[in-house]
């Protein structure tokens, strides 16, 4: 049995190594190509989803912008309306103050006596009795006292009240009271007058 030459042995080894390296290189390139193909496919598959998400982001952004725009416009409208109401309220208060001054300084003779009778008629009808005690201010005592002569069972209280004019009527049993002073009547009319003025100026209630 002969001995193999070392040069022949090395050549065979190199050939074997080259084959292994070539096969490995092919496997690696094949795997890389396969991975690249899969990545490209995944990227292509994901494009519709990305486009859909992009469209949704744009749509949501537009909706939010519209919402903010409406909120800004709404806030401006409310602020403008509040200013209108404040101006209206100030104007109404000035008118009422002026009217109250005129009433306080008005001549309380003639028609004023008829007004007191009307207030007494109204008060006895609301309380459904003429058995009443009537309160008024110091200035109106004589006028009220004179008018009471037409109301059987009614009497003038020795106590006076602080008001512009008119009367407060209390049933003698103390169960019912009706404030029919000019002050109270104006206060009751205020909401209606304010509403009418606001309506004329298009401000609303």
């Amino acid at each position: 049995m002969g001995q193999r030459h070392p040069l022949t042995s090395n050549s065979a080894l190199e050939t074997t190594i080259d084959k292994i390296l070539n096969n490995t290189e092919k496997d690696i390139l094949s795997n890389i190509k396969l991975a690249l193909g899969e990545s490209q496919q995944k990227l292509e598959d994901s494009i519709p989803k990305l486009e859909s998400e992009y469209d949704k982001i744009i749509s949501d952004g537009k909706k939010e912008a519209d919402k903010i725009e409406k909120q800004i416009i709404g806030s401006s409208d409310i602020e403008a309306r509040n200013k209108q109401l404040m101006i209206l309220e100030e104007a109404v208060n000035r008118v009422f103050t002026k009217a109250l001054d005129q009433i306080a300084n008005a001549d309380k003779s003639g028609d004023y006596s008829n007004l007191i009778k009307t207030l007494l008629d109204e008060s006895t009808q609301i309380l459904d009795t003429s058995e009443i005690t009537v309160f008024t201010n110091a200035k109106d005592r004589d006028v009220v006292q004179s008018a009471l002569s037409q109301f059987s069972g009614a009497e003038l209280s020795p106590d006076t009240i602080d008001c512009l004019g008119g009367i407060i009527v209390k049933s003698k049993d103390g169960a019912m009271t009706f404030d029919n002073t000019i002050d109270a009547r104006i206060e009751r009319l205020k909401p209606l007058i304010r509403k009418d003025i606001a309506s004329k100026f298009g401000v609303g209630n």
Side-chain angles (χ1 to χ4, degrees), residues 3 15 30 45 53 71 91-92 104 124 128 132 134 165 175 190 205:
Q3 187 174 4
T15 300
S30 177
D45 293 342
E53 291 179 353
Q71 288 175 341
V92 169
T124 54
D128 195 26
I132 56 174
V134 182
K190 265 187 176 180
N205 296 329

Side-chain angles (χ1 to χ4, degrees), residues 87-186:
I87 292 172
L88 174 66
E89 186 67 19
E90 290 173 0
V92 169
N93 287 334
R94 282 200 301 272
V95 170
F96 275 118
T97 300
K98 187 176 181 180
L100 291 175
D101 287 341
Q102 291 178 347
I103 291 171
N105 297 318
D107 180 16
K108 294 184 177 179
S109 61
D111 290 342
Y112 190 70
S113 178
N114 292 329
L115 173 63
I116 292 297
K117 290 177 184 176
T118 301
L119 296 179
L120 284 166
D121 271 333
E122 187 178 70
S123 301
T124 54
Q125 288 176 17
I126 288 175
L127 296 187
D128 195 26
T129 178
S130 60
E131 295 294 324
I132 56 174
T133 302
V134 182
F135 299 80
T136 189
N137 63 22
K139 289 183 178 179
D140 291 356
R141 284 187 61 80
D142 291 342
V143 178
V144 174
Q145 183 65 70
S146 177
L148 283 179
S149 62
Q150 301 177 30
F151 294 86
S152 176
E155 63 181 17
L156 182 63
S157 170
D159 299 326
T160 58
I161 58 175
D162 183 18
C163 66
L164 287 172
I167 55 176
I168 291 178
V169 177
K170 182 178 290 186
S171 61
K172 287 187 176 178
D173 62 5
M176 299 177 292
T177 299
F178 181 61
D179 187 345
N180 215 4
T181 59
I182 292 174
D183 315 55
R185 292 175 70 89
I186 290 175

Side-chain angles (χ1 to χ4, degrees), residues 9-29:
S9 177
N10 286 340
S11 178
L13 179 59
E14 288 175 358
T15 300
T16 301
I17 292 173
D18 287 342
K19 287 182 179 179
I20 293 173
L21 289 175
N22 286 333
N23 291 335
T24 303
E25 182 181 4
K26 288 180 181 177
D27 290 342
I28 291 173
L29 290 175

